PDB file of all heavy atoms in Angstrom:
ATOM      1  N   ARG A   1       0.858  -1.207   0.001  1.00  0.00           N
ATOM      2  CA  ARG A   1       0.018  -0.077  -0.035  1.00  0.00           C
ATOM      3  C   ARG A   1       0.896   1.210  -0.004  1.00  0.00           C
ATOM      4  O   ARG A   1       1.776   1.455   0.773  1.00  0.00           O
ATOM      5  CB  ARG A   1      -0.870   0.052   1.269  1.00  0.00           C
ATOM      6  CG  ARG A   1      -1.717   1.302   1.322  1.00  0.00           C
ATOM      7  CD  ARG A   1      -2.394   1.497   2.620  1.00  0.00           C
ATOM      8  NE  ARG A   1      -1.301   1.862   3.632  1.00  0.00           N
ATOM      9  CZ  ARG A   1      -1.612   2.145   4.830  1.00  0.00           C
ATOM     10  NH1 ARG A   1      -2.824   2.252   5.287  1.00  0.00           N
ATOM     11  NH2 ARG A   1      -0.586   2.440   5.705  1.00  0.00           N
ATOM     12  N   TYR A   2       0.612   2.108  -0.946  1.00  0.00           N
ATOM     13  CA  TYR A   2       1.206   3.515  -0.940  1.00  0.00           C
ATOM     14  C   TYR A   2       0.105   4.434  -0.482  1.00  0.00           C
ATOM     15  O   TYR A   2      -1.030   4.372  -1.075  1.00  0.00           O
ATOM     16  CB  TYR A   2       1.696   3.825  -2.355  1.00  0.00           C
ATOM     17  CG  TYR A   2       2.864   3.060  -2.739  1.00  0.00           C
ATOM     18  CD1 TYR A   2       2.747   1.829  -3.371  1.00  0.00           C
ATOM     19  CD2 TYR A   2       4.156   3.533  -2.583  1.00  0.00           C
ATOM     20  CE1 TYR A   2       3.839   1.079  -3.708  1.00  0.00           C
ATOM     21  CE2 TYR A   2       5.328   2.849  -2.907  1.00  0.00           C
ATOM     22  CZ  TYR A   2       5.122   1.648  -3.561  1.00  0.00           C
ATOM     23  OH  TYR A   2       6.212   0.878  -3.879  1.00  0.00           O
ATOM     24  N   ILE A   3       0.334   5.266   0.480  1.00  0.00           N
ATOM     25  CA  ILE A   3      -0.660   6.181   1.032  1.00  0.00           C
ATOM     26  C   ILE A   3      -0.021   7.589   1.049  1.00  0.00           C
ATOM     27  O   ILE A   3       1.147   7.827   1.379  1.00  0.00           O
ATOM     28  CB  ILE A   3      -1.124   5.741   2.402  1.00  0.00           C
ATOM     29  CG1 ILE A   3      -2.254   6.594   2.893  1.00  0.00           C
ATOM     30  CG2 ILE A   3       0.058   5.677   3.407  1.00  0.00           C
ATOM     31  CD1 ILE A   3      -2.937   6.059   4.072  1.00  0.00           C
ATOM     32  N   ARG A   4      -0.849   8.562   0.556  1.00  0.00           N
ATOM     33  CA  ARG A   4      -0.427   9.951   0.622  1.00  0.00           C
ATOM     34  C   ARG A   4      -0.345  10.447   2.054  1.00  0.00           C
ATOM     35  O   ARG A   4      -1.340  10.371   2.759  1.00  0.00           O
ATOM     36  CB  ARG A   4      -1.420  10.803  -0.177  1.00  0.00           C
ATOM     37  CG  ARG A   4      -1.012  12.254  -0.354  1.00  0.00           C
ATOM     38  CD  ARG A   4      -2.024  13.072  -1.039  1.00  0.00           C
ATOM     39  NE  ARG A   4      -2.368  12.643  -2.375  1.00  0.00           N
ATOM     40  CZ  ARG A   4      -1.687  13.039  -3.489  1.00  0.00           C
ATOM     41  NH1 ARG A   4      -0.729  13.926  -3.452  1.00  0.00           N
ATOM     42  NH2 ARG A   4      -2.060  12.629  -4.685  1.00  0.00           N
ATOM     43  N   HIS A   5       0.823  10.824   2.450  1.00  0.00           N
ATOM     44  CA  HIS A   5       1.050  11.366   3.800  1.00  0.00           C
ATOM     45  C   HIS A   5       0.767  12.808   3.877  1.00  0.00           C
ATOM     46  O   HIS A   5       0.190  13.346   4.765  1.00  0.00           O
ATOM     47  CB  HIS A   5       2.405  11.052   4.279  1.00  0.00           C
ATOM     48  CG  HIS A   5       2.788  11.435   5.632  1.00  0.00           C
ATOM     49  ND1 HIS A   5       2.190  10.993   6.731  1.00  0.00           N
ATOM     50  CD2 HIS A   5       3.695  12.357   6.056  1.00  0.00           C
ATOM     51  CE1 HIS A   5       2.635  11.581   7.829  1.00  0.00           C
ATOM     52  NE2 HIS A   5       3.526  12.433   7.433  1.00  0.00           N
ATOM     53  N   ASP A   6       1.183  13.546   2.820  1.00  0.00           N
ATOM     54  CA  ASP A   6       0.851  14.940   2.604  1.00  0.00           C
ATOM     55  C   ASP A   6       0.924  15.197   1.134  1.00  0.00           C
ATOM     56  O   ASP A   6       0.973  14.254   0.326  1.00  0.00           O
ATOM     57  CB  ASP A   6       1.757  15.912   3.498  1.00  0.00           C
ATOM     58  CG  ASP A   6       3.236  15.681   3.134  1.00  0.00           C
ATOM     59  OD1 ASP A   6       3.501  15.520   1.965  1.00  0.00           O
ATOM     60  OD2 ASP A   6       4.001  15.743   4.021  1.00  0.00           O
ATOM     61  N   ASP A   7       0.870  16.422   0.687  1.00  0.00           N
ATOM     62  CA  ASP A   7       0.823  16.669  -0.696  1.00  0.00           C
ATOM     63  C   ASP A   7       2.028  16.246  -1.441  1.00  0.00           C
ATOM     64  O   ASP A   7       1.910  15.919  -2.700  1.00  0.00           O
ATOM     65  CB  ASP A   7       0.678  18.167  -0.920  1.00  0.00           C
ATOM     66  CG  ASP A   7      -0.757  18.674  -0.666  1.00  0.00           C
ATOM     67  OD1 ASP A   7      -1.580  17.864  -0.612  1.00  0.00           O
ATOM     68  OD2 ASP A   7      -0.902  19.891  -0.419  1.00  0.00           O
ATOM     69  N   GLU A   8       3.191  16.076  -0.819  1.00  0.00           N
ATOM     70  CA  GLU A   8       4.358  15.697  -1.529  1.00  0.00           C
ATOM     71  C   GLU A   8       4.937  14.306  -1.136  1.00  0.00           C
ATOM     72  O   GLU A   8       5.710  13.736  -1.923  1.00  0.00           O
ATOM     73  CB  GLU A   8       5.552  16.764  -1.289  1.00  0.00           C
ATOM     74  CG  GLU A   8       5.136  18.105  -1.732  1.00  0.00           C
ATOM     75  CD  GLU A   8       5.039  18.295  -3.219  1.00  0.00           C
ATOM     76  OE1 GLU A   8       5.816  17.576  -3.922  1.00  0.00           O
ATOM     77  OE2 GLU A   8       4.137  18.850  -3.700  1.00  0.00           O
ATOM     78  N   GLU A   9       4.547  13.758  -0.038  1.00  0.00           N
ATOM     79  CA  GLU A   9       5.137  12.536   0.476  1.00  0.00           C
ATOM     80  C   GLU A   9       4.119  11.422   0.473  1.00  0.00           C
ATOM     81  O   GLU A   9       3.017  11.533   0.899  1.00  0.00           O
ATOM     82  CB  GLU A   9       5.688  12.787   1.887  1.00  0.00           C
ATOM     83  CG  GLU A   9       6.374  11.621   2.435  1.00  0.00           C
ATOM     84  CD  GLU A   9       6.931  11.929   3.853  1.00  0.00           C
ATOM     85  OE1 GLU A   9       6.770  12.981   4.375  1.00  0.00           O
ATOM     86  OE2 GLU A   9       7.581  10.942   4.391  1.00  0.00           O
ATOM     87  N   TRP A  10       4.600  10.273  -0.015  1.00  0.00           N
ATOM     88  CA  TRP A  10       3.794   8.996   0.070  1.00  0.00           C
ATOM     89  C   TRP A  10       4.653   8.038   0.844  1.00  0.00           C
ATOM     90  O   TRP A  10       5.922   7.957   0.703  1.00  0.00           O
ATOM     91  CB  TRP A  10       3.621   8.497  -1.376  1.00  0.00           C
ATOM     92  CG  TRP A  10       2.683   9.230  -2.207  1.00  0.00           C
ATOM     93  CD1 TRP A  10       2.786  10.496  -2.700  1.00  0.00           C
ATOM     94  CD2 TRP A  10       1.363   8.743  -2.632  1.00  0.00           C
ATOM     95  NE1 TRP A  10       1.593  10.852  -3.417  1.00  0.00           N
ATOM     96  CE2 TRP A  10       0.731   9.783  -3.339  1.00  0.00           C
ATOM     97  CE3 TRP A  10       0.621   7.522  -2.429  1.00  0.00           C
ATOM     98  CZ2 TRP A  10      -0.554   9.710  -3.886  1.00  0.00           C
ATOM     99  CZ3 TRP A  10      -0.617   7.444  -2.967  1.00  0.00           C
ATOM    100  CH2 TRP A  10      -1.236   8.521  -3.617  1.00  0.00           C
ATOM    101  N   MET A  11       3.899   7.163   1.605  1.00  0.00           N
ATOM    102  CA  MET A  11       4.622   6.160   2.420  1.00  0.00           C
ATOM    103  C   MET A  11       4.095   4.808   1.938  1.00  0.00           C
ATOM    104  O   MET A  11       2.942   4.684   1.580  1.00  0.00           O
ATOM    105  CB  MET A  11       4.296   6.368   3.859  1.00  0.00           C
ATOM    106  CG  MET A  11       4.733   7.765   4.419  1.00  0.00           C
ATOM    107  SD  MET A  11       4.307   8.031   6.099  1.00  0.00           S
ATOM    108  CE  MET A  11       5.377   6.923   6.937  1.00  0.00           C
ATOM    109  N   ASP A  12       4.986   3.831   1.923  1.00  0.00           N
ATOM    110  CA  ASP A  12       4.560   2.496   1.553  1.00  0.00           C
ATOM    111  C   ASP A  12       4.674   1.519   2.758  1.00  0.00           C
ATOM    112  O   ASP A  12       5.471   1.695   3.615  1.00  0.00           O
ATOM    113  CB  ASP A  12       5.301   1.974   0.347  1.00  0.00           C
ATOM    114  CG  ASP A  12       6.709   1.683   0.634  1.00  0.00           C
ATOM    115  OD1 ASP A  12       7.404   2.474   1.328  1.00  0.00           O
ATOM    116  OD2 ASP A  12       7.174   0.571   0.160  1.00  0.00           O
ATOM    117  N   THR A  13       3.805   0.543   2.682  1.00  0.00           N
ATOM    118  CA  THR A  13       3.684  -0.504   3.732  1.00  0.00           C
ATOM    119  C   THR A  13       3.386  -1.809   2.986  1.00  0.00           C
ATOM    120  O   THR A  13       2.499  -1.898   2.111  1.00  0.00           O
ATOM    121  CB  THR A  13       2.535  -0.225   4.663  1.00  0.00           C
ATOM    122  OG1 THR A  13       2.657   1.070   5.270  1.00  0.00           O
ATOM    123  CG2 THR A  13       2.490  -1.210   5.794  1.00  0.00           C
ATOM    124  N   ASP A  14       4.123  -2.860   3.408  1.00  0.00           N
ATOM    125  CA  ASP A  14       3.789  -4.218   2.903  1.00  0.00           C
ATOM    126  C   ASP A  14       2.932  -4.902   3.942  1.00  0.00           C
ATOM    127  O   ASP A  14       3.236  -4.863   5.127  1.00  0.00           O
ATOM    128  CB  ASP A  14       5.057  -5.064   2.767  1.00  0.00           C
ATOM    129  CG  ASP A  14       5.718  -4.910   1.469  1.00  0.00           C
ATOM    130  OD1 ASP A  14       5.118  -4.346   0.520  1.00  0.00           O
ATOM    131  OD2 ASP A  14       6.904  -5.190   1.336  1.00  0.00           O
ATOM    132  N   VAL A  15       1.855  -5.507   3.565  1.00  0.00           N
ATOM    133  CA  VAL A  15       1.006  -6.309   4.392  1.00  0.00           C
ATOM    134  C   VAL A  15       1.019  -7.750   3.842  1.00  0.00           C
ATOM    135  O   VAL A  15       0.683  -7.972   2.661  1.00  0.00           O
ATOM    136  CB  VAL A  15      -0.436  -5.822   4.477  1.00  0.00           C
ATOM    137  CG1 VAL A  15      -1.282  -6.617   5.404  1.00  0.00           C
ATOM    138  CG2 VAL A  15      -0.414  -4.343   4.908  1.00  0.00           C
ATOM    139  N   VAL A  16       1.366  -8.682   4.684  1.00  0.00           N
ATOM    140  CA  VAL A  16       1.617 -10.014   4.217  1.00  0.00           C
ATOM    141  C   VAL A  16       0.932 -11.029   5.136  1.00  0.00           C
ATOM    142  O   VAL A  16       0.860 -10.915   6.343  1.00  0.00           O
ATOM    143  CB  VAL A  16       3.146 -10.340   4.237  1.00  0.00           C
ATOM    144  CG1 VAL A  16       3.440 -11.725   3.759  1.00  0.00           C
ATOM    145  CG2 VAL A  16       3.892  -9.432   3.405  1.00  0.00           C
ATOM    146  N   GLY A  17       0.335 -12.077   4.509  1.00  0.00           N
ATOM    147  CA  GLY A  17      -0.226 -13.132   5.369  1.00  0.00           C
ATOM    148  C   GLY A  17      -1.651 -13.073   5.672  1.00  0.00           C
ATOM    149  O   GLY A  17      -2.301 -12.042   5.562  1.00  0.00           O
ATOM    150  N   ILE A  18      -2.191 -14.245   6.126  1.00  0.00           N
ATOM    151  CA  ILE A  18      -3.622 -14.321   6.358  1.00  0.00           C
ATOM    152  C   ILE A  18      -4.105 -13.410   7.385  1.00  0.00           C
ATOM    153  O   ILE A  18      -5.354 -12.954   7.406  1.00  0.00           O
ATOM    154  CB  ILE A  18      -3.992 -15.825   6.657  1.00  0.00           C
ATOM    155  CG1 ILE A  18      -5.487 -16.001   6.521  1.00  0.00           C
ATOM    156  CG2 ILE A  18      -3.537 -16.191   8.085  1.00  0.00           C
ATOM    157  CD1 ILE A  18      -5.896 -17.414   6.317  1.00  0.00           C
ATOM    158  N   GLY A  19      -3.292 -12.938   8.361  1.00  0.00           N
ATOM    159  CA  GLY A  19      -3.848 -12.094   9.463  1.00  0.00           C
ATOM    160  C   GLY A  19      -3.647 -10.609   9.058  1.00  0.00           C
ATOM    161  O   GLY A  19      -3.917  -9.674   9.815  1.00  0.00           O
ATOM    162  N   GLY A  20      -3.080 -10.381   7.808  1.00  0.00           N
ATOM    163  CA  GLY A  20      -2.891  -8.977   7.443  1.00  0.00           C
ATOM    164  C   GLY A  20      -4.082  -8.155   7.286  1.00  0.00           C
ATOM    165  O   GLY A  20      -5.095  -8.662   6.782  1.00  0.00           O
ATOM    166  N   VAL A  21      -3.968  -6.840   7.592  1.00  0.00           N
ATOM    167  CA  VAL A  21      -5.082  -5.920   7.526  1.00  0.00           C
ATOM    168  C   VAL A  21      -4.583  -4.592   6.883  1.00  0.00           C
ATOM    169  O   VAL A  21      -3.488  -4.112   7.320  1.00  0.00           O
ATOM    170  CB  VAL A  21      -5.682  -5.633   8.892  1.00  0.00           C
ATOM    171  CG1 VAL A  21      -6.779  -4.560   8.811  1.00  0.00           C
ATOM    172  CG2 VAL A  21      -6.281  -6.930   9.493  1.00  0.00           C
ATOM    173  N   ILE A  22      -5.332  -4.060   5.911  1.00  0.00           N
ATOM    174  CA  ILE A  22      -4.921  -2.813   5.334  1.00  0.00           C
ATOM    175  C   ILE A  22      -5.966  -1.697   5.626  1.00  0.00           C
ATOM    176  O   ILE A  22      -7.186  -1.998   5.341  1.00  0.00           O
ATOM    177  CB  ILE A  22      -4.740  -2.946   3.776  1.00  0.00           C
ATOM    178  CG1 ILE A  22      -3.587  -3.903   3.532  1.00  0.00           C
ATOM    179  CG2 ILE A  22      -4.567  -1.562   3.141  1.00  0.00           C
ATOM    180  CD1 ILE A  22      -3.453  -4.155   1.998  1.00  0.00           C
ATOM    181  N   ASP A  23      -5.611  -0.639   6.215  1.00  0.00           N
ATOM    182  CA  ASP A  23      -6.456   0.457   6.445  1.00  0.00           C
ATOM    183  C   ASP A  23      -6.485   1.455   5.257  1.00  0.00           C
ATOM    184  O   ASP A  23      -5.491   1.783   4.818  1.00  0.00           O
ATOM    185  CB  ASP A  23      -6.081   1.202   7.719  1.00  0.00           C
ATOM    186  CG  ASP A  23      -7.083   2.295   8.113  1.00  0.00           C
ATOM    187  OD1 ASP A  23      -8.163   2.219   7.750  1.00  0.00           O
ATOM    188  OD2 ASP A  23      -6.525   3.237   8.741  1.00  0.00           O
ATOM    189  N   LEU A  24      -7.636   1.766   4.778  1.00  0.00           N
ATOM    190  CA  LEU A  24      -7.803   2.732   3.681  1.00  0.00           C
ATOM    191  C   LEU A  24      -8.564   3.869   4.215  1.00  0.00           C
ATOM    192  O   LEU A  24      -9.837   3.985   4.055  1.00  0.00           O
ATOM    193  CB  LEU A  24      -8.532   2.077   2.443  1.00  0.00           C
ATOM    194  CG  LEU A  24      -7.747   0.844   1.853  1.00  0.00           C
ATOM    195  CD1 LEU A  24      -8.584   0.257   0.814  1.00  0.00           C
ATOM    196  CD2 LEU A  24      -6.398   1.365   1.325  1.00  0.00           C
ATOM    197  N   PRO A  25      -7.940   4.821   4.896  1.00  0.00           N
ATOM    198  CA  PRO A  25      -8.667   5.918   5.660  1.00  0.00           C
ATOM    199  C   PRO A  25      -9.391   6.846   4.705  1.00  0.00           C
ATOM    200  O   PRO A  25     -10.474   7.401   5.024  1.00  0.00           O
ATOM    201  CB  PRO A  25      -7.601   6.651   6.401  1.00  0.00           C
ATOM    202  CG  PRO A  25      -6.295   6.262   5.831  1.00  0.00           C
ATOM    203  CD  PRO A  25      -6.486   4.919   5.124  1.00  0.00           C
ATOM    204  N   SER A  26      -9.020   6.953   3.454  1.00  0.00           N
ATOM    205  CA  SER A  26      -9.698   7.901   2.522  1.00  0.00           C
ATOM    206  C   SER A  26     -11.062   7.459   2.152  1.00  0.00           C
ATOM    207  O   SER A  26     -11.966   8.213   1.849  1.00  0.00           O
ATOM    208  CB  SER A  26      -8.874   8.103   1.251  1.00  0.00           C
ATOM    209  OG  SER A  26      -8.920   6.946   0.482  1.00  0.00           O
TER     210      SER A  26
END
């Protein structure tokens, strides 16, 4: 997941495995 942190910066996170959860706040 790549998520916009602010207008210029994006942060990425890997989520792996059956217990993984991804939050999509937008």
Side-chain angles (χ1 to χ4, degrees):
R1 178 193 69 173
Y2 290 85
I3 185 168
R4 186 184 298 270
H5 181 63
D6 58 37
D7 285 341
E8 298 296 321
E9 184 178 359
W10 286 69
M11 301 175 72
D12 70 313
T13 305
D14 274 343
V15 180
V16 180
I18 196 161
V21 174
I22 295 177
D23 184 29
L24 301 172
S26 69

